[in-house]
C-alpha cells in the first residue's frame, strides 16, 4: 500500500501537479494491490513448478528402483528433504500425503486431493495418468515414467523460455521508467516551458492523453514479456 501510494503521488505530481487526482487514489491502490498479488502468486507458482519437477524426477527414480506407489512417495519425500527446506511447499505437501498414507488412505484418493489443492495443469495431468494407469493395469510404471518425462520436458522448455526473455523483461522495466525520467527532467530543467501543461484544461487533457498512451503501452509490453507455455 505504501509503495503504491508513493507511485501514485509521483504520477500525479509529474503529470498534473494538482490535488484533485488524489481523489482517485483508492481506486489506484485497489488496482495496484491486485497486480502485486498476481505477481506474487505467479512467482510462487513458478517456484512450486520447479519443486514439483524435482519431486516427479525423484518419484520416477523410486518407481524405477522397484518401489510400490506408496513407498515411492515416501522415498520421494526423503529425497526432497535433501534439496528443499522443511517449510517449502513441496515438502509440506509430501509430508501431508505421507501422513494420509499412515492413516491408511488409498494412494489414488491422496493424489486426487493433492491435485485439487494444487490448481496446476501439470499436477492434474500427472495425477490423472497415475490414477488411471494404476486402475487399468499393464505396465503402469512405464506409463507413469513416460508421463513424468514429458511433463519434465515441458517444464524445462518453460524454464528456457523464461531465461531467454529475462533480458527483455529487464529492458521492459527500464522502458517503463524512461517516460517519467524524461518528463521529470523537462520539469526541472525547463520549468517555464512545461508550466503551460499544468493548471489549465488544455494541459490536463494533453497530459491525460500522454498518460493513457503510456498505460496502454505498459499493458501491451507486460503481455508481451509474460509468456505462458
Amino acid at each position: 500500500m505504501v509503495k503504491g501510494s508513493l507511485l501514485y503521488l509521483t504520477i500525479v505530481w509529474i503529470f498534473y501537479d494538482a490535488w484533485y487526482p488524489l481523489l482517485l487514489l483508492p481506486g489506484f491502490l485497489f488496482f495496484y494491490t491486485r497486480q502485486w498479488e498476481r505477481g506474487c502468486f505467479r512467482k510462487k507458482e513458478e517456484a512450486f513448478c520447479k519443486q514439483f519437477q524435482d519431486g516427479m524426477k525423484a518419484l520416477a527414480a523410486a518407481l524405477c528402483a522397484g518401489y510400490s506407489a506408496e513407498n515411492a512417495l515416501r522415498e520421494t519425500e526423503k529425497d526432497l528433504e535433501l534439496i528443499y527446506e522443511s517449510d517449502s511447499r513441496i515438502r509440506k505437501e509430501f509430508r501431508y500425503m505421507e501422513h494420509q498414507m499412515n492413516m491408511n488412505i488409498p494412494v489414488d484418493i491422496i493424489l486426487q486431493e493433492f491435485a485439487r489443492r494444487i490448481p496446476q495443469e501439470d499436477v492434474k495431468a500427472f495425477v490423472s495418468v497415475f490414477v488411471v494407469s494404476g486402475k487399468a493395469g499393464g505396465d503402469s510404471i512405464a506409463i507413469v515414467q513416460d508421463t513424468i518425462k514429458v511433463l519434465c520436458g515441458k517444464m524445462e522448455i518453460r524454464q528456457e523460455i523464461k531465461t531467454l526473455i529475462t533480458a527483455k523483461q529487464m529492458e521492459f522495466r527500464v522502458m517503463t521508467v524512461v517516460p517519467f525520467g524524461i518528463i521529470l527532467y523537462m520539469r526541472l530543467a525547463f520549468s517555464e516551458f512545461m508550466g503551460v501543461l499544468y493548471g489549465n484544461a488544455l494541459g490536463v487533457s494533453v497530459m491525460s492523453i500522454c498518460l493513457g498512451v503510456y498505460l496502454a503501452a505498459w499493458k501491451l509490453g507486460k503481455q508481451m514479456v509474460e509468456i505462458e507455455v
Side-chain angles (χ1 to χ4, degrees):
M1 296 290 286
V2 173
K3 185 179 178 181
S5 298
L6 292 175
L7 176 61
Y8 187 76
L9 291 175
T10 302
I11 294 174
V12 169
W13 181 73
I14 290 178
F15 282 88
Y16 298 105
D17 195 14
W19 64 267
Y20 50 85
L22 297 177
L23 299 175
L24 301 177
L25 178 59
F28 176 83
L29 289 178
F30 174 79
F31 171 78
Y32 183 84
T33 51
R34 288 292 299 273
Q35 293 294 320
W36 174 83
E37 184 180 32
R38 291 173 183 173
C40 292
F41 178 78
R42 187 180 299 107
K43 291 180 181 179
K44 290 183 178 180
E45 291 301 304
E46 291 175 355
F48 181 79
C49 182
K50 178 62 171 62
Q51 296 172 5
F52 182 64
Q53 179 181 357
D54 294 334
M56 286 195 300
K57 290 180 178 179
L59 180 61
L63 292 173
C64 186
Y67 287 97
S68 63
E70 294 86 350
N71 292 329
L73 289 174
R74 297 180 190 275
E75 288 298 317
T76 300
E77 202 283 328
K78 294 179 181 179
D79 292 338
L80 293 174
E81 185 178 356
L82 303 175
I83 305 175
Y84 297 103
E85 297 179 356
S86 60
D87 61 343
S88 61
R89 188 176 180 184
I90 193 68
R91 289 282 310 281
K92 292 179 179 178
E93 290 294 341
F94 270 87
R95 282 201 304 269
Y96 181 62
M97 286 190 285
E98 185 176 9
H99 173 71
Q100 289 178 304
M101 286 187 291
N102 293 335
M103 300 294 292
N104 296 323
I105 300 177
V107 175
D108 293 352
I109 297 178
I110 293 174
L111 290 176
Q112 289 172 354
E113 291 181 358
F114 172 64
R116 284 193 291 268
R117 291 195 304 271
I118 309 297
Q120 285 191 2
E121 180 182 354
D122 295 336
V123 175
K124 292 181 179 180
F126 166 73
V127 170
S128 298
V129 172
F130 193 98
V131 172
V132 172
S133 62
K135 294 180 179 179
D139 194 355
S140 59
I141 294 179
I143 296 174
V144 172
Q145 288 177 334
D146 290 340
T147 302
I148 292 175
K149 183 178 180 180
V150 171
L151 292 177
C152 288
K154 176 184 175 182
M155 294 178 183
E156 290 173 358
I157 293 175
R158 183 189 292 121
Q159 187 62 35
E160 291 177 1
I161 292 176
K162 181 174 178 60
T163 301
L164 291 174
I165 67 175
T166 298
K168 297 300 180 182
Q169 289 176 337
M170 181 59 65
E171 293 177 6
F172 170 71
R173 295 189 184 99
V174 173
M175 291 296 293
T176 58
V177 178
V178 168
F180 290 97
I182 293 175
I183 298 176
L184 180 61
Y185 170 75
M186 294 290 291
R187 285 205 61 182
L188 296 177
F190 308 98
S191 57
E192 295 181 358
F193 176 78
M194 294 289 293
V196 297
L197 295 174
Y198 302 99
N200 58 84
L202 180 60
V204 170
S205 300
V206 172
M207 296 301 282
S208 297
I209 293 173
C210 293
L211 182 59
V213 172
Y214 169 80
L215 293 176
W218 172 81
K219 182 65 176 179
L220 178 62
K222 192 173 180 63
Q223 292 176 348
M224 292 174 64
V225 298
E226 290 181 355
I227 300 176
E228 293 188 7
V229 181

